[in-house]
Amino acid sequence: MIATPLTHRFTQPLTLQSGAQLPGYDLVYETYGQLNAQRSNAVLICHALNASHHVAGVYLDEQGQPKPRSEGWWDNMIGPGKPLDTDRFFVIGVNNLGSCFGSTGPTHIHPDTGQAWGADFPVVTVEDWVNAQARLLDALGIQQLAAVMGGSLGGMQTLSWTLQYPERVRHAVVVASAPNLTAENIAFNEVARRAIVTDPDFHGGHYLRHGAIPRRGLRIARMIGHITYLSDDVMNEKFGRQLKPLAQAVGEAADAGDLPALNRLAYQYTTQDVEFQIESYLRHQGDKFSEYFDANTYLLVTRALDYFDPARQHGGDLARALAPATADFLVISFSTDWRFSPARSREIVRALLKNRRNVSYAEIDAPHGHDAFLLDDDRYMAAVRAYFERTVRTQGVAA
Amino acid sequence: MIATPLTHRFTQPLTLQSGAQLPGYDLVYETYGQLNAQRSNAVLICHALNASHHVAGVYLDEQGQPKPRSEGWWDNMIGPGKPLDTDRFFVIGVNNLGSCFGSTGPTHIHPDTGQAWGADFPVVTVEDWVNAQARLLDALGIQQLAAVMGGSLGGMQTLSWTLQYPERVRHAVVVASAPNLTAENIAFNEVARRAIVTDPDFHGGHYLRHGAIPRRGLRIARMIGHITYLSDDVMNEKFGRQLKPLAQAVGEAADAGDLPALNRLAYQYTTQDVEFQIESYLRHQGDKFSEYFDANTYLLVTRALDYFDPARQHGGDLARALAPATADFLVISFSTDWRFSPARSREIVRALLKNRRNVSYAEIDAPHGHDAFLLDDDRYMAAVRAYFERTVRTQGVAA
């Protein structure tokens, strides 16, 4: 499946939850499959922290050949014959406001100043993203979605859709998500933000004007994030206490006949260099991330996570907060996800059941932690496939 | 109980596990209670990451009055009539090599260069610390300890004592510890170290020569550490999603008659300023820590944690590794400690039982996470008290 990013320019300003106004802006999106004649088979995919509109399919290079490793981030889930089957559904991936992947964000030019928005880009919330997505659907002539679907922060947008536009959502698929962040989650976000903001290259968020990029901070932020996306078990299985240069060092010591070195089992006794495999892996992840991700976007997206809390206006009563939702729900969690634990998904399920909503819930026993929502797991894929197939059968959605 | 730090100067070099030699060095220590005539009632306390020799008692100011908040870090555990009763036992707190609290470390002057050791201070391991502590006992004329006791990294030293000097330890009290760090724990240490090492004020570890201190990195390191010392539950209970300046902001909005602001429930919509209480708390912890802790010490101490792994030389077989230990053991863990989980303590217990050692094990159902080992808990304190009382009864230790 070939993917082609499209851009829609909105000329009407968008009033944000903070009270600020965003003037004309772009949203970048992709679509997969065909919208049916009744315009009833559209599924909107909401993305999480560092993802984008490129949900499925591959890009072509200039020779018309598929670019290697250009698959969308949920390509295992979405495509012809896949759990969310693009032979039946018209799937839309949209990049959120504030991103660094195409939609208007802090790296774009502020219309009034002619300079990059940087730290002046307004704070955007999950609710703001949903409002912007709804305008895109208006532009595409789609009144009602067959489903909204997302994992993690994308699950929060999905939940918010059912509250902000209940009549426009028939089904909501909320994966590895939560009704709000715990203090611990906010704490991890805050440390990551502090690493970025206190990087001398941050310049109060106007680093582009200074020709700088706060790469140190971004690296630390990503390393922290990465630890929390994996389970302790999967980290032990993948890396354990393996030393990075063990083979090489042991080889050298053996060549040199250096028995004491062999006895020390290739510990290098270093505080600043890589010793363990896990360190090498994390540094690599941090380095990669700091090359492509925007620091202000990181601040904005983590804040959107922090702020999301639909029960807040209802004195913490999630059931009251979810009362407006009329969609049917599929909620999925993963047993080893300690960032968005199954207990948090069950809170959503209980609150929906209190409102006598139609809810399916799958708790997948998977070892991969929060990252599981992006990975292949037969039971996970089967649960999503079955849900969408039932939708087709009972609601007659046809391509 | 009044505490007085003492210094012992060692003129003989110490050969370290890495093969490096540390020339003459100081160890700072404190003692509480009286050594009995048989020299049989000494208990050595090993400290964890950011603690010191100041285990119990208070310091006096220049007027001879107790200094406020000068209690030792385990003052709730150790003192007259306390679980480790200084009316019966002679308790020794000793500051480890590489520390920034008095014993020779990276902030001290290198004898050959006349400059601070900085990054040239050799890597020290748990085993090295134990060797240095053993020399201090030699100097104090103590051949055998009634007990060694420590929590977290201090528990690792305790375990190592029973392996390096089995004949010198009658009892080992290992609290909230582990036979080695998991990949996740190493990962958290590594992110903290990267924050320090990549701080432009670090200067490769020779910041003192540059008149600089890598405070940004230390702050981030401490914030990360702090999150992992607390449980998710206790963080939610203490901070939850409370906003920092809620009262003030609501008051101001009400004064100004600004209803939309009140409706926004005092969210400030900021990415760089404090919004939630937990953020304020973490920043405060980071700021405080960066004022008193040395960055190179932080690297050394986290590396000592990473490297400790007695089973490593035995192909990962912990039971074989612990075979030399002849001490009786009390092992204690805390249910919500996810940094040194009960499962890790149980590994120690099982390995000791395989060797038919005498082991008592208490798994305390406490909400506070890893920090629980420093806090008051009736069952925890009672377990330690009962253990030491039994020691007195069965082994006739007298003051």
Side-chain angles (χ1 to χ4, degrees), chain A residues 17 181 183 190 193 198 216 236 241 243 267 269-270 273 275 279 283 303 306-307 309 312, chain B residues 181 183 190 193 198 216 236 241 243 264 267 269-270 273 275 279 283 303 306-307 309 312:
Chain A
Q17 203 181 350
L181 290 195
E190 170 67 2
R193 280 191 298 262
T198 64
R216 297 179 204 87
N236 273 330
R241 297 180 50 82
L243 300 180
Y267 271 172
Y269 299 99
T270 170
D273 295 331
E275 184 75 276
E279 298 170 349
R283 289 191 191 190
R303 263 306 188 216
D306 292 354
Y307 282 136
D309 188 8
R312 189 171 175 81
Chain B
L181 291 195
E190 171 67 1
R193 280 191 298 262
T198 63
R216 298 178 203 86
N236 274 329
R241 297 181 49 83
L243 300 181
R264 288 195 299 274
Y267 272 172
Y269 298 100
T270 170
D273 296 330
E275 184 76 275
E279 298 170 349
R283 289 191 191 190
R303 263 306 188 216
D306 292 354
Y307 283 136
D309 188 9
R312 188 171 177 82

Side-chain angles (χ1 to χ4, degrees), chain B residues 172-206:
Chain B
V173 181
V174 177
V175 185
S177 196
N180 63 23
L181 291 195
T182 63
E184 188 182 81
N185 269 319
I186 296 174
F188 279 121
N189 283 345
E190 171 67 1
V191 183
R193 280 191 298 262
R194 291 311 288 165
I196 289 170
V197 168
T198 63
D199 184 328
D201 283 328
F202 184 67
H203 297 287
H206 292 296

Side-chain angles (χ1 to χ4, degrees), chain A residues 45-60:
Chain A
I45 305 298
C46 304
H47 72 74
L49 202 145
N50 65 326
S52 72
H53 52 278
H54 184 40
V55 175
V58 294
Y59 291 141
L60 296 184

Side-chain angles (χ1 to χ4, degrees), chain B residues 229-246:
Chain B
Y229 305 147
L230 299 179
S231 70
D232 193 16
D233 283 352
V234 87
M235 244 195 229
N236 274 329
E237 199 183 292
K238 276 175 93 164
F239 306 104
R241 297 181 49 83
Q242 287 171 66
L243 300 181
K244 169 66 178 164
L246 182 63

